[in-house]
């Protein structure tokens, strides 16, 4: 082989190696993943112009609303009762360890002072940056802020329309390079001007059916941008697939990992920290007719079942047009907080406990402590496999000892659960 041929061949090999370079999370990023996984409970906030129509955040698509007519709502957006301090305090008191806020949903309206689109909060009569107020307050109160960012835009003409938002009568002037630049500019603003951001939470990948028409979202470069701007910032994408290269968490929509009742969660569970997002009623964005709130008991049991899968629960609240959180949501948040004050050690910083019996018995674990959550008041005896020897069994929150037998790898004890009990937590200290 000639010398120049050897040089060309090595250059090619080098280029291939560079291309195949895997994403290696930084130590800061790994630290954030750990904190994220230990936090177990976050509150999702879907708030945008859509709250004005009070029909949920898909209203523009669902009713095929002309995007220009829809945008007129901007001239009346005046959430005069918005109080970042009140929101963050209520959420912290609920025991949530982070907040995920919709900075720009599929409708395309930006909730912060962005220089890359006029369709933003500063051009409403309210005229104040919501993301700024929330970010400042989160930092002040010491709770992480995650930012939801939609890949879809039903208003912009340069967004290459996918399968949704077809009825909004915007002109089709698809220009992916321009739209991609726009998104990255906005992400740069969010990750530069608002202090520490815990995560960017993407949504909308599924708008382009990758199987029938190949579409390249160029996520690699976008993820690299995020990690370059804030190495500790986690990247998550609600694409309903196994995580892609460059992502730091795996998201499940409306189902705990491993279950697929809502039809969006058939994908395999990865080794990344997990998060399940779920609504408190049925809707993400405020919907005036949706009074179908889950009870506090259902919500706490959902949190327990999620923790039992080793995942976080990101529980949604849809703020109202005036800027307040619905009363029904506030009550439930407060009650969850009271419960977590007492039983939080069986949720925070735990991992999946290994054993479960359907939705009746769930286990979580922290080191040598195993928490057996009895979610069915009909249970009077527990007999479960356990490979480690037992030192003590007690009722969490009361400290009352429980008599038990441990023989041939089976732990056996009796319980008397009060009828109004949400979760009877038995604390098992292992040897
Ligand atoms: C869906 C919806 C969206 C919502 C999100 C939350 O993907 O498109 O409206 O924000 O789920 O999980």
């Amino acid at each position: 082989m000639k010398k120049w041929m050897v040089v060309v061949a090595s250059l090619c090999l080098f280029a291939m190696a560079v291309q195949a370079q895997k994403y290696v999370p930084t130590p800061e990023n790994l630290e954030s993943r750990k904190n994220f996984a230990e936090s177990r409970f976050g509150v999702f906030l879907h708030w945008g112009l859509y709250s004005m129509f009070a029909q949920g955040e898909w209203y523009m698509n669902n009713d095929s609303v002309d995007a220009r007519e829809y945008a007129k709502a901007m001239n009346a957006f005046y959430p005069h009762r918005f109080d970042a301090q009140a929101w963050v305090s209520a959420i912290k008191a609920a025991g949530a360890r982070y907040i995920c806020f919709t900075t720009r949903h599929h409708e395309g309206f930006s909730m912060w002072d962005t220089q890359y689109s006029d369709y933003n909060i500063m051009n409403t009569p309210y005229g104040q940056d919501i993301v700024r107020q929330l970010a400042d307050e989160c930092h002040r109160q010491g709770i992480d802020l995650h930012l939801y960012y939609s890949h879809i835009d039903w208003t912009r003409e340069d967004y290459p329309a996918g399968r949704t938002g077809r009825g909004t009568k915007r002109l089709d002037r698809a220009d992916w390079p321009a739209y991609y630049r726009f998104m990255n500019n906005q992400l740069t603003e969010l990750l530069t001007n608002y202090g520490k951001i815990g995560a960017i939470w993407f949504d909308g990948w599924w708008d382009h059916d990758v199987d029938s028409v190949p579409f390249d979202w160029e996520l690699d470069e976008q993820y690299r941008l995020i990690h370059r701007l804030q190495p500790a910032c986690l990247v998550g994408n609600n694409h309903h697939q196994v995580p892609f290269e460059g992502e730091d968490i795996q998201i499940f929509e409306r189902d705990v990992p491993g279950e697929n009742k809502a039809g969006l969660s058939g994908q395999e569970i990865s080794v990344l920290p997990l998060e399940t997002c779920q609504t408190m009623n049925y809707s993400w964005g405020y919907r005036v007719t949706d009074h179908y709130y889950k009870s506090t008991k259902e919500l706490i049991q959902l949190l327990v079942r999620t923790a039992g899968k080793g995942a976080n629960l990101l529980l949604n609240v849809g703020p109202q047009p005036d800027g307040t959180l619905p009363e029904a949501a506030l009550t439930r948040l407060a009650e969850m907080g009271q419960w977590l004050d007492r039983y939080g050690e069986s949720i925070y910083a735990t991992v999946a406990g290994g054993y479960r019996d359907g939705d009746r018995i769930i286990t979580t674990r922290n080191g040598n402590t195993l928490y057996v959550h009895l979610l069915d008041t009909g249970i009077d005896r527990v007999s479960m496999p356990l490979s480690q020897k037992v030192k003590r069994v007690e009722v969490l929150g009361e400290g009352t000892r429980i008599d038990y037998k441990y023989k041939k790898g089976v732990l056996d004890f009796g319980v008397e659960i009060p009828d109004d009990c949400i979760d009877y937590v038995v604390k098992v200290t292992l040897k």
Side-chain angles (χ1 to χ4, degrees), residues 2 205 429:
K2 297 233 162 49
W205 176 90
T429 310

Side-chain angles (χ1 to χ4, degrees), residues 44 46 57-58 105-106 148 201 203 206 238 253 277 284:
F44 213 166
H46 273 70
E57 78 291 352
W58 272 67
H105 208 275
H106 312 334
Y148 169 108
W201 206 101
D203 191 20
W206 32 259
N238 186 32
E253 184 174 340
C277 58
W284 300 102

Side-chain angles (χ1 to χ4, degrees), residues 278-302:
Q278 182 55 287
T279 51
M280 240 195 215
N281 44 8
Y282 281 112
S283 322
W284 300 102
Y286 177 66
R287 185 190 294 269
V288 70
T289 48
D290 188 353
H291 305 299
Y292 308 101
Y293 277 82
K294 296 166 187 72
S295 66
T296 302
K297 177 175 176 173
E298 282 174 282
L299 294 172
I300 289 171
Q301 294 199 344
L302 173 63

Side-chain angles (χ1 to χ4, degrees), residues 22-139:
K22 285 252 178 283
Y23 163 55
V24 182
T26 57
E28 301 97 296
N29 189 280
L30 293 174
E31 184 62 26
S32 308
R33 291 184 187 189
K34 185 170 164 277
N35 292 338
F36 173 77
E38 288 182 353
S39 63
R40 280 295 172 260
F41 180 32
V43 166
F44 213 166
L45 295 168
H46 273 70
W47 202 38
L49 259 199
Y50 45 82
S51 69
M52 292 276 286
F53 299 101
Q55 306 289 330
E57 78 291 352
W58 272 67
Y59 170 61
M60 189 199 288
N61 171 84
N62 295 352
D63 276 36
S64 293
V65 182
D66 182 318
R68 277 157 307 201
E69 291 298 322
Y70 183 100
K72 291 178 183 169
M74 182 171 77
N75 303 326
F77 195 42
Y78 193 79
H80 62 108
R81 294 177 68 198
F82 171 66
D83 177 353
Q85 201 213 322
W87 281 20
V88 176
S89 305
I91 291 168
K92 265 199 91 172
R97 299 268 166 102
Y98 60 98
I99 292 174
C100 184
F101 181 72
T102 51
T103 57
R104 174 177 148 279
H105 208 275
H106 312 334
E107 64 176 4
F109 183 76
S110 301
M111 294 293 273
W112 77 99
D113 185 3
T114 173
Q115 65 173 105
Y116 298 101
S117 160
D118 290 336
Y119 198 30
N120 80 60
I121 191 73
M122 304 311 283
N123 295 322
T124 63
Y126 178 69
Q128 296 172 61
D129 187 333
I130 299 288
V131 175
R132 157 87 48 232
Q133 296 175 66
L134 257 186
D136 287 353
E137 194 55 35
C138 285
H139 295 139

Side-chain angles (χ1 to χ4, degrees), residues 132-338:
R132 157 87 48 232
Q133 296 175 66
L134 257 186
D136 287 353
E137 194 55 35
C138 285
H139 295 139
R140 204 171 298 136
Q141 296 202 33
I143 180 168
D144 280 340
L145 180 64
H146 297 186
L147 302 179
Y148 169 108
Y149 190 83
S150 171
H151 275 129
I152 302 178
D153 196 304
W154 291 330
T155 299
R156 286 181 71 93
E157 293 171 358
D158 57 2
Y159 172 66
R163 57 187 172 81
T164 70
R166 289 277 176 176
T168 67
K169 296 204 179 67
R170 69 189 147 169
L171 298 172
D172 182 6
R173 295 205 181 115
D175 182 349
W176 169 252
Y179 182 68
Y180 185 62
R181 222 176 307 122
F182 155 74
M183 288 195 295
N184 289 343
N185 282 334
Q186 283 210 316
L187 288 164
T188 304
E189 279 182 331
L190 291 170
L191 289 158
T192 313
N193 302 339
Y194 297 90
K196 186 176 180 295
I197 300 302
I200 296 289
W201 206 101
F202 286 112
D203 191 20
W205 176 90
W206 32 259
D207 199 34
H208 285 275
D209 195 326
V210 278
D211 293 328
S212 49
V213 190
F215 186 85
D216 184 3
W217 286 100
E218 297 186 62
L219 295 176
D220 278 352
E221 196 184 320
Q222 196 162 60
Y223 292 174
R224 268 201 296 274
L225 170 75
I226 296 168
H227 287 135
R228 183 162 51 71
L229 291 169
Q230 292 204 21
C233 181
L234 303 173
V235 172
N237 192 328
N238 186 32
H239 44 42
H240 313 140
Q241 312 286 312
V242 283
F244 301 160
E245 188 70 23
E247 294 173 7
D248 305 303
I249 61 170
Q250 182 174 14
I251 297 169
F252 292 83
E253 184 174 340
R254 290 189 188 268
D255 264 305
V256 301
E259 286 179 11
N260 189 11
K261 294 178 189 154
L264 300 167
S265 304
Q267 66 277 24
E268 266 172 42
I269 302 172
S270 74
V271 295
L272 294 181
L274 312 174
E275 181 187 68
T276 282
C277 58
Q278 182 55 287
T279 51
M280 240 195 215
N281 44 8
Y282 281 112
S283 322
W284 300 102
Y286 177 66
R287 185 190 294 269
V288 70
T289 48
D290 188 353
H291 305 299
Y292 308 101
Y293 277 82
K294 296 166 187 72
S295 66
T296 302
K297 177 175 176 173
E298 282 174 282
L299 294 172
I300 289 171
Q301 294 199 344
L302 173 63
L303 176 64
V304 172
R305 286 196 289 113
T306 313
K309 294 277 187 176
N312 288 7
L313 175 65
L314 179 61
L315 182 61
N316 184 75
V317 174
Q320 298 167 133
D322 68 356
T324 56
L325 304 181
E327 205 51 50
L330 284 170
T331 313
R332 283 157 180 79
L333 287 178
E335 288 168 355
M336 290 181 85
Q338 282 158 20

